[in-house]
Amino acid sequence: MTTIKSQLIYDKTIIKDEWLTIELPKINVEVKKQAGKVVLFKLTGEEYPTEEQVNKAVFPSSGKILLHLKVLIKHQELLKNRIKNQDIGFWFATHEEIEDSLLLLGDINQFPLIAVNIEKFSDGRIFSRGKQLRIKYGFNKTLRAFGDVLRDQLFFLKRSGFNSYLIRKDRDAIDALKGLNDFSNPYQGALDTINPAWKRIKR
Amino acid sequence: MYKYDQIDQKLVDERVNQYSDQLHRYLNKELSDEEFRPLRLQNGLYIQRHAPMLRVAIPYGMLSSKQLRKLADIADKFDRGYGHFSTRQNIQFNWPKLENTPKILKELAEVEMHAIQTSGNCIRNITTDQFAGATPDEIIDPRYIAEIIRQWSTFHPEFALLPRKFKISVTGSAKDRALVQAHDIGLEFSKNTIGKMVIKVWVGGGLGRTPVIGSVIREELEWQHILTYCEAILRVYNLYGRRDNMYKARIKILVKALGIDEFRRLVEKEWAFIKDGPNTIDEKELNRVASFFTAPDYKKSKSINLDKFIDNKHFVKWLSRNTHSHKIKGYRSVTLSLKANHNAPGDATAKQMHAVAELADKYSFSELRVSHEQNLILADVEESQLYELWEQAKLYNLTTPNIGLLTDIICCPGGDFCSLANAKSIPIAESIQTLFDDMDYLHDIGDISLNISGCMNACGHHHVGHIGVLGVDKDGSEWYQVTLGGDQGNNASIGKVIGPSFSSEEMPIVVKKIIDVYVQQRHEGELFIDCVKRIGIEPFKSRVYGDEV
Ligand code: SF4
């Protein structure tokens, strides 16, 4: 077997990554404490990308690119043809609410790839994001996890609607593949195996 | 009792392999401390003061005699000959060696046991009423519901890494013995006016640093939807619960911040997408699981006249305190006390475990339960065999007739074992038990609960003790804060702090003074908690702090 030198797992195999992920520019912003009403994302204490970051993001004029959701929305008109060519995907981070943004995008399935960035492997919000994308927003194309993606979370990612995993740079993707098969017959219905054990098998 | 089929067994076996491999990679430095941490915790492994601590799951507190024997053997083989039954109806081993943990798990798997999700930020062991299936006030047997939830929550992919731990409790009785109002989700099963099984769903209760009594999110949920509804609650919590501050990460903080109405709105919105989905339970599955919890083969047994024992003061006391009425005539449920004086509350030696297994085989259909008060229960004992049982249990120091009395102390492992502790808790329990060793006096004081936690995490449930004791740290030394008026059950309430904290030497005297006030002020037949509720905490305060009027 020839092995491809790549950190990307798609489904159950290692493949080359054709996509270029466009990160947001790092800009130092003064942190303002906001008093008053409880806002959901404020509860979790994390910041959204600032307008300045979105405005200053630059990306190549051709090829398959993965843009932050906000950047995509800003340039949606300009990117019309590239979207049609299936050359544009988008990403967001686990703490970002995307419902309002999705309304501006139209059909979510015109994008061949959505990626969710996980900063810390222990951030389990990524699983709920996957689930929401699949069942609430009806996304049926490739769903990728990237960032702090490690072997011992893959089984759960797979069951939460993900089918693409970009393994953290310093880890072995071949080793990580094993994590997809930790359990052969889980109890509950999830997104890979829809039915719970008692419906799948005569118990 | 639930029996594993191939699916259950395979999962547990695969878990042993997965964990062994994870430990191997950790010892090989392929996993960092930080990366291994959630993995070991979700397998019940803590790194403690002296050695690792391994917490083994006892789902909803049910054990077979065979399983108990295995636990005893593990205590002998891998530990120092004893185990500690916790307030989560689990058992903890305090001295295993890290490299032995896979072996222990392998042995546990042989008797359908495991350590899955006994710690970490995930859905923990489901707890319920220790008298489930046997108590006369039961409307629905909560154990099969608990088993259905156990299966659903085991390795739930979406809720594997929550902001913080998540505890679910189920009750099906008129009197709530499962603390449903003090859980992240509390499920109260009953029948509605037309005889259909429905669930009152409580959310956002919990003890710990910020004790909160839960709010009702749904008055009457149809049982078919229990899993999808819990899923919706957990999704909202998983997404919006705080992850930046571990002390504010429990669901109760989120529910309080949003308000129950807004929280409910978010849950209902998520639920709309999964309601009636594949995880909806049906009659067939409910009956399949329920079939494991059918009544044992009760004999047609007559209530016996226990008057002939009237002269045996010890036995009569034990009968009144340590046995509980049963739904079947001629039977009673027996509580074996793990609260003998000079015994750390909840600790049992391997010898005692073997003895209890023996008693279970002989008198209670080879089954037993662990209560959250940290005692062991033989749920189905014939009245005619009570005396015999008592005599045998006495040989193993399991018959202290103090159930529900002052010395039936609920106590966490505290500073002797737990690395999070501010103060020791076991020696406090012991000094109180030593001061109150007159059984007649204890019986005269009557029903009272005294709960001790070694820190804010409240594993000893101190907030809901009639008397609560909390270890606090002041300038590096150990102090104890006392609360009064906490309560569990249907009238759950959180105790009030009476004032500045005490040293460990002062503690027994403080308790003594509190009891004195009660004895002087009580009305005929009035329980301690009712007296506190009636007269308030002032009279206790002034006696304890010496400023008597
Ligand atoms: S209450 Fe604190 S000291 Fe006691 S067991 Fe829990 S964490 Fe440890």
Side-chain angles (χ1 to χ4, degrees):
Chain A
M1 202 173 88
T2 50
T3 38
I4 304 161
K5 190 91 197 83
S6 166
Q7 290 303 101
L8 184 66
I9 297 175
Y10 175 76
D11 203 9
K12 288 176 204 128
T13 39
I14 294 173
I15 61 164
K16 250 182 68 188
D17 190 2
E18 300 177 321
W19 292 82
L20 185 67
T21 306
I22 310 296
E23 285 174 25
L24 289 165
K26 296 218 180 349
I27 296 166
N28 285 334
V29 279
E30 202 191 322
V31 183
K32 283 188 229 125
K33 286 253 163 21
Q34 205 179 319
K37 238 177 70 183
V38 184
V39 185
L40 279 181
F41 70 85
K42 285 286 169 204
L43 270 176
T44 62
E46 283 143 312
E47 297 295 329
Y48 274 48
T50 62
E51 214 167 298
E52 197 187 356
Q53 278 178 301
V54 173
N55 288 339
K56 288 202 171 147
V58 284
F59 48 88
S61 55
S62 66
K64 290 188 184 310
I65 54 171
L66 198 51
L67 295 169
H68 185 274
L69 176 58
K70 293 270 187 222
V71 178
L72 168 61
I73 286 172
K74 184 174 154 65
H75 300 286
Q76 204 176 350
E77 259 319 292
L78 193 92
L79 293 167
K80 233 159 92 198
N81 284 327
R82 294 177 72 184
I83 293 174
K84 242 194 214 116
N85 277 336
Q86 300 276 293
D87 282 343
I88 306 293
F90 69 82
W91 68 270
F92 64 99
T94 53
H95 66 276
E96 293 179 70
E97 280 308 302
I98 57 167
E99 194 153 306
D100 293 343
S101 301
L102 289 185
L103 288 176
L104 300 172
L105 277 188
D107 179 13
I108 194 172
N109 285 314
Q110 62 187 311
F111 303 98
L113 175 65
I114 297 179
V116 186
N117 181 231
I118 178 167
E119 209 172 292
K120 195 90 236 129
F121 70 93
S122 56
D123 179 359
R125 285 177 294 199
I126 193 165
F127 307 127
S128 288
R129 292 297 176 205
K131 181 109 191 203
Q132 283 186 325
L133 279 164
R134 295 298 193 200
I135 59 162
K136 203 167 163 184
Y137 308 124
F139 182 61
N140 57 26
K141 301 287 169 30
T142 303
L143 182 55
R144 175 187 291 189
F146 74 110
D148 201 10
V149 178
L150 304 175
R151 166 176 164 176
D152 293 288
Q153 281 73 48
L154 288 199
F155 184 75
F156 297 130
L157 285 168
K158 174 180 87 167
R159 302 215 71 210
S160 300
F162 289 83
N163 55 357
S164 165
Y165 324 88
L166 190 62
I167 304 300
R168 201 172 83 190
K169 275 200 218 68
D170 60 328
R171 294 300 154 96
D172 181 3
I174 298 170
D175 179 62
L177 275 174
K178 295 183 197 146
L180 290 167
N181 302 317
D182 277 347
F183 300 98
S184 48
N185 231 336
Y187 282 128
Q188 60 294 101
L191 287 166
D192 56 340
T193 325
I194 299 293
N195 279 323
W198 58 272
K199 277 190 193 166
R200 295 194 305 267
I201 306 146
K202 191 169 162 10
R203 297 195 76 180
Chain B
M1 169 165 181
Y2 187 71
K3 289 255 167 315
Y4 278 13
D5 65 8
Q6 279 172 2
I7 293 184
D8 305 290
Q9 191 63 50
K10 184 105 199 250
L11 268 174
V12 171
D13 293 344
E14 285 173 334
R15 172 57 148 197
V16 177
N17 294 339
Q18 183 199 36
Y19 171 76
S20 308
D21 187 65
Q22 288 167 344
L23 179 64
H24 176 80
R25 280 186 280 141
Y26 169 67
L27 296 173
N28 247 353
K29 304 226 158 31
E30 290 165 45
L31 283 172
S32 67
D33 279 337
E34 196 199 356
E35 287 159 9
F36 184 52
R37 194 168 176 274
L39 306 177
R40 69 170 160 79
L41 284 177
Q42 304 223 350
N43 231 320
L45 190 72
Y46 284 77
I47 303 294
Q48 290 283 61
R49 292 234 152 135
H50 312 288
M53 182 270 274
L54 182 69
R55 184 183 292 153
V56 175
I58 302 177
Y60 37 92
M62 290 281 296
L63 274 177
S64 67
S65 54
K66 184 175 165 197
Q67 290 174 325
L68 185 60
R69 286 197 177 93
K70 179 59 94 182
L71 294 174
D73 291 344
I74 288 172
D76 265 338
K77 205 156 139 191
F78 298 102
D79 204 307
R80 299 190 177 173
Y82 71 96
H84 171 77
F85 289 97
S86 81
T87 54
R88 289 299 297 167
Q89 301 177 309
N90 290 321
I91 186 169
Q92 301 178 175
F93 293 109
N94 281 315
W95 308 93
K97 290 207 174 69
L98 188 61
E99 58 274 24
N100 278 338
T101 49
K103 278 189 228 156
I104 299 178
L105 294 174
K106 216 169 180 155
E107 295 219 5
L108 287 169
E110 288 166 14
V111 293
E112 308 184 355
M113 293 188 83
H114 58 75
I116 297 164
Q117 288 167 219
T118 52
S119 181
N121 298 334
C122 51
I123 304 175
R124 302 285 188 87
N125 189 17
I126 317 296
T127 50
T128 186
D129 190 337
Q130 68 264 32
F131 296 120
T135 175
D137 67 338
E138 184 165 280
I139 307 159
I140 308 276
D141 187 337
R143 291 172 302 171
Y144 56 88
I145 312 285
E147 175 58 30
I148 286 174
I149 300 174
R150 181 192 76 80
Q151 298 195 10
W152 165 80
S153 62
T154 299
F155 307 132
H156 196 294
E158 192 180 343
F159 309 128
L161 292 161
L162 294 169
R164 201 73 178 82
K165 59 188 168 187
F166 202 90
K167 300 177 176 181
I168 302 178
S169 173
V170 193
T171 181
S173 286
K175 181 169 166 20
D176 167 31
R177 281 170 292 263
L179 296 172
V180 287
Q181 298 176 30
H183 278 78
D184 296 295
I185 292 180
L187 302 169
E188 202 178 322
F189 279 75
S190 65
K191 294 214 167 115
N192 69 5
T193 44
I194 54 165
K196 265 192 141 164
M197 180 159 95
V198 289
I199 315 151
K200 187 176 196 171
V201 184
W202 298 79
V203 71
L207 301 173
R209 187 171 287 247
T210 321
V212 184
I213 298 295
S215 312
V216 175
I217 183 165
R218 259 212 170 220
E219 277 294 340
E220 281 197 5
L221 179 72
E222 291 175 317
W223 60 268
Q224 291 89 333
H225 302 303
I226 183 64
L227 300 181
T228 55
Y229 199 75
C230 284
E231 179 179 326
I233 292 176
L234 272 141
R235 178 162 312 131
V236 171
Y237 169 57
N238 190 33
L239 286 172
Y240 306 122
R242 288 183 65 157
R243 287 170 184 268
D244 58 328
N245 178 342
M246 74 174 280
Y247 297 117
K248 298 200 164 142
R250 296 289 290 271
I251 192 174
K252 61 192 171 190
I253 305 288
L254 179 66
V255 174
K256 276 268 173 292
L258 294 174
I260 183 68
D261 294 324
E262 174 63 7
F263 183 79
R264 183 184 297 116
R265 191 186 67 80
L266 293 174
V267 169
E268 297 278 333
K269 199 169 149 205
E270 287 304 319
W271 192 41
F273 292 92
I274 47 177
K275 184 172 184 268
D276 298 315
N279 287 306
T280 309
I281 317 164
D282 63 15
E283 201 90 36
K284 201 171 132 238
E285 172 65 359
L286 188 76
N287 292 337
R288 183 185 74 84
V289 181
S291 70
F292 290 100
F293 299 94
T294 48
D297 233 341
Y298 292 121
K299 288 204 198 95
K300 270 226 157 38
S301 179
K302 273 210 243 50
S303 275
I304 68 154
N305 189 352
L306 293 161
D307 282 352
K308 63 177 173 192
F309 299 110
I310 200 96
D311 292 335
N312 190 334
K313 217 172 87 186
H314 295 297
F315 178 67
V316 171
K317 276 214 172 87
W318 179 80
L319 207 56
S320 79
R321 294 309 320 186
N322 296 33
T323 71
H324 185 268
S325 52
H326 200 284
K327 64 176 183 193
I328 303 291
K329 220 173 105 209
Y331 278 84
R332 290 189 80 76
S333 299
V334 169
T335 302
L336 298 169
S337 174
L338 296 180
K339 310 291 179 67
N341 279 5
H342 310 298
N343 184 48
D347 277 8
T349 62
K351 225 169 126 193
Q352 284 177 317
M353 290 189 239
H354 276 296
V356 174
E358 199 67 38
L359 293 173
D361 281 344
K362 237 163 149 177
Y363 301 112
S364 195
F365 303 97
S366 300
E367 285 180 9
L368 67 143
R369 295 109 188 264
V370 182
S371 72
H372 77 83
E373 288 96 352
Q374 308 173 284
N375 292 310
L376 299 178
I377 318 279
L378 300 176
D380 308 287
V381 181
E382 273 186 87
E383 285 182 353
S384 57
Q385 299 190 306
L386 285 171
Y387 189 81
E388 214 179 292
L389 183 154
W390 174 71
E391 283 204 305
Q392 290 172 32
K394 211 164 49 168
L395 302 175
Y396 296 91
N397 205 12
L398 293 164
T399 54
T400 313
N402 63 348
I403 301 308
L405 298 181
L406 185 63
T407 54
D408 185 10
I409 296 172
I410 295 185
C411 178
C412 78
D416 291 298
F417 298 104
C418 174
S419 48
L420 301 172
N422 286 328
K424 297 195 187 69
S425 50
I426 295 169
I428 301 298
E430 188 170 346
S431 65
I432 295 169
Q433 285 171 334
T434 309
L435 183 67
F436 291 88
D437 66 346
D438 175 351
M439 268 301 158
D440 289 330
Y441 185 46
L442 282 176
H443 280 251
D444 176 54
I445 300 167
D447 281 300
I448 187 168
S449 62
L450 196 159
N451 300 0
I452 309 175
S453 304
C455 80
M456 299 279 208
N457 286 320
C459 303
H461 299 170
H462 64 276
H463 304 291
V464 292
H466 300 160
I467 301 175
V469 179
L470 165 68
V472 289
D473 172 76
K474 267 204 299 197
D475 307 324
S477 56
E478 302 184 355
W479 293 81
Y480 298 89
Q481 188 185 68
V482 173
T483 52
L484 277 182
D487 204 358
Q488 61 181 55
N490 307 68
N491 298 315
S493 61
I494 304 290
K496 288 199 191 75
V497 178
I498 63 168
S501 45
F502 306 97
S503 70
S504 59
E505 294 80 41
E506 291 171 298
M507 273 314 299
I509 302 302
V510 170
V511 174
K512 176 82 174 64
K513 287 180 177 167
I514 290 170
I515 299 300
D516 288 346
V517 174
Y518 160 65
V519 171
Q520 282 161 15
Q521 302 247 8
R522 67 180 163 187
H523 290 162
E524 175 83 36
E526 186 179 42
L527 296 180
F528 176 82
I529 183 65
D530 297 329
C531 179
V532 175
K533 283 181 179 159
R534 178 172 59 82
I535 66 178
I537 65 171
E538 280 310 320
F540 296 95
K541 225 168 148 169
S542 48
R543 172 70 62 88
V544 168
Y545 293 101
D547 147 44
E548 280 177 70
V549 259

